[in-house]
Amino acid sequence: MLAKLKDIFQDVKEVGKKNLVLLGNEAIARGIVELGVAGVFTYPGTPSSEIPTTLFRAKDVLKQKGYDLYLEWSTNEAVALESAYGFSFSGLRTVFICKHVGLNVAADVFLTLVNAGVLGGLVMIVAEDPEMHSSQNEQDNRWYTKLANIPMFEPSDAREAKEMLKSAFEVSEKFETPVILRTVTRIAHSRADIPLNPITNPNIPEDMKLKIDPSRFVCVPGNARQNKLRILERVERISKYMVGSNWNRIEQGKKQEHAIITSGSAYAYTREVINHLELDFPVLKIGVSHPFPKKIVGDFLKVYSSSTILIIEEADSVLETFVKKLSFEENFLGKIIGRAEGITPPHGELTTRKLLKGLSRVLNQEVSIPSIPSIEGDLLFSRPPVLCPGCPHRATFYALNKSVPKRHRIVSTDIGCYTLGASPPLNAGHLVICMGSSLGIGSGISQIPNQKEPIVAIIGDSTFWHTGLPGLVNAVYNNSKLLLLVVDNAATAMTGFQPNPGEKLSIAEAAKGVGVNLVTEVDAFDPKSSLEVMKEAVKFDGVSVIVSKGECRIQFVRREGLPDITYLVESSRCVGCHTCINRIACPAIMWSDQKNDKGKVIPIIDQFLCARCGLCSEVCPYGVIVPKSVKEVLGE
Ligand code: SF4
Ligand code: SF4
């Protein structure tokens, strides 16, 4: 059962409740208010989004408790980290949250501010997505810790994630450094029994005075050199401080022919597997992976010098690299087995089954691998992700396909729900790389000599504000020739409907403001008018912008409810041309078992899926998809 907001943020002093089953991200949100954090800065991204979303939804609940939390949906991760950094000069506890690729967006500010350090506690919660359930790359941000010289805490489950947050703040405040708390999808999105501690309201002074030392924080070369020395010395001090921390610990085992070193989420899989196989191996669990805990790893290698060391980690071979390097320095003569020997897969998420297979391989023994219970019949079948019924992007791409033929165009698209439009039959996308890249890539393609196909760049409203705007300025400045199609659904829908600057700012006005001479707003649900505008805009000699406005249907229906008019195929008149299915692929339109007089199968509209947008009735060339009152059709 899902926890209710008032339960997540209950005051344990009042109700005396001590434990609650929470999602990993909810547990972290709870931890944030237990620790008296005053400012949270973020750009939404899966699998981190539920942390700020939970806090955002709870703002009133917290306010009633006198807890004044500043929560900012920043325009992108770089701005979020800059703002978090600025806020942390208050000395108040501050949190920055992003998904793994968000750290790339913030990398410039990140890699310099870490040198200058912080004056108040600043924890960066970075959520990774091994297996790329909802991401464009699989990136192991542990590599960043070496580059940035920043401490990293790696919880192995939701409970630890909340507990480590406290230690992360302690290290941040003691050593004046930002600290990363690294989670992964399975920690963020799994549930666990979480002990609750009292909520601590931030202690905000009546008269806030800031003291910012320019000799440290103005990062010109002379000061930056001093900061570099300071950070090297700081890492050494943190390294010593972490010796003896229970986050890095040896768990004894009786069978000593093998000994395991593991960290973060991989620890949970390791425990499950060695318990299942009754392999009582000693385990070195690393919870703080940077600064690399040389002392405890060195001790472990010495104690188990005659054992084979197994390294179990998720994502890249980061731990393995550092352990092997240390083993040379320590003259360790035993064998170290890691990813190269096949104990863990070279890519993707680690699972219990994958680890069982890996262990079976390296231990050279048959192990029983529990089978996944199969579901009888055809209840589960694989299907590609598709745009929702009633999605305005479907209508926009339908108009685009009618106005700019698919065979004669290059479409550079971007990150958001609309990326799904790249699939057939809409085919609205030849390439997508990262947030905001559609404009830069489209602009570059438009500059290729003798390239004559029209270029269309597609971007969503939130992504436009995130990192699209500089690409638009660049395209205008460099006289590129392309059509920018902004699919404005008035929501950051893919990550859970977080607000974005489009609530207050106009994309069309911004485009005009940076010098675009042809800017038009169209109604996404009026494809006939949109396609005429698109036909003209794509011929424009320069940058043209069309903002196709149509609210996300889910958001609309949640607020307004479904319209009273639905749509129905008049099967007696339908000629079975399949245009409605082949052109727009709305999941609510499907084949029936009826045939027309030419033997063609007739489609039907699933009234429980249909979002009543009316696009299909525009698309049907024979006008046989007709509006009907819901009462008439469903008897509601
Ligand atoms: S487009 Fe119209 S005529 Fe063609 S199959 Fe669909 S409902 Fe029938
Ligand atoms: S009205 Fe047509 S296009 Fe819109 S959701 Fe229903 S079936 Fe799909």
Side-chain angles (χ1 to χ4, degrees), residues 395-396 398-404 522-523 526-538 546:
T396 303
Y398 167 72
L400 179 69
N401 291 344
K402 295 277 278 185
S403 54
V404 190
V522 296
D523 176 356
D526 181 5
K528 282 199 180 89
S529 308
S530 305
L531 72 89
E532 294 305 326
V533 175
M534 288 177 192
K535 271 184 196 161
E536 290 310 308
V538 82
I546 294 175

Side-chain angles (χ1 to χ4, degrees), residues 224-258:
R225 284 183 207 114
Q226 293 305 313
N227 286 342
K228 180 74 190 185
L229 295 177
R230 264 199 289 267
I231 195 172
L232 293 174
E233 176 267 337
R234 187 170 74 206
V235 170
E236 284 306 312
R237 283 192 290 127
I238 298 171
S239 215
K240 286 192 186 122
Y241 175 78
M242 293 314 300
V243 172
S245 158
N246 197 42
W247 294 126
N248 298 328
R249 62 172 183 265
I250 296 171
E251 295 169 352
Q252 304 298 338
K254 291 195 184 96
K255 294 185 183 168
Q256 302 203 344
E257 65 274 20
H258 292 89

Side-chain angles (χ1 to χ4, degrees), residues 389-390 567 586 588-589 605 610-616:
Y567 293 84
C586 173
I589 310 178
I605 293 177
C610 175
R612 303 174 191 170
C613 71
L615 174 65
C616 50

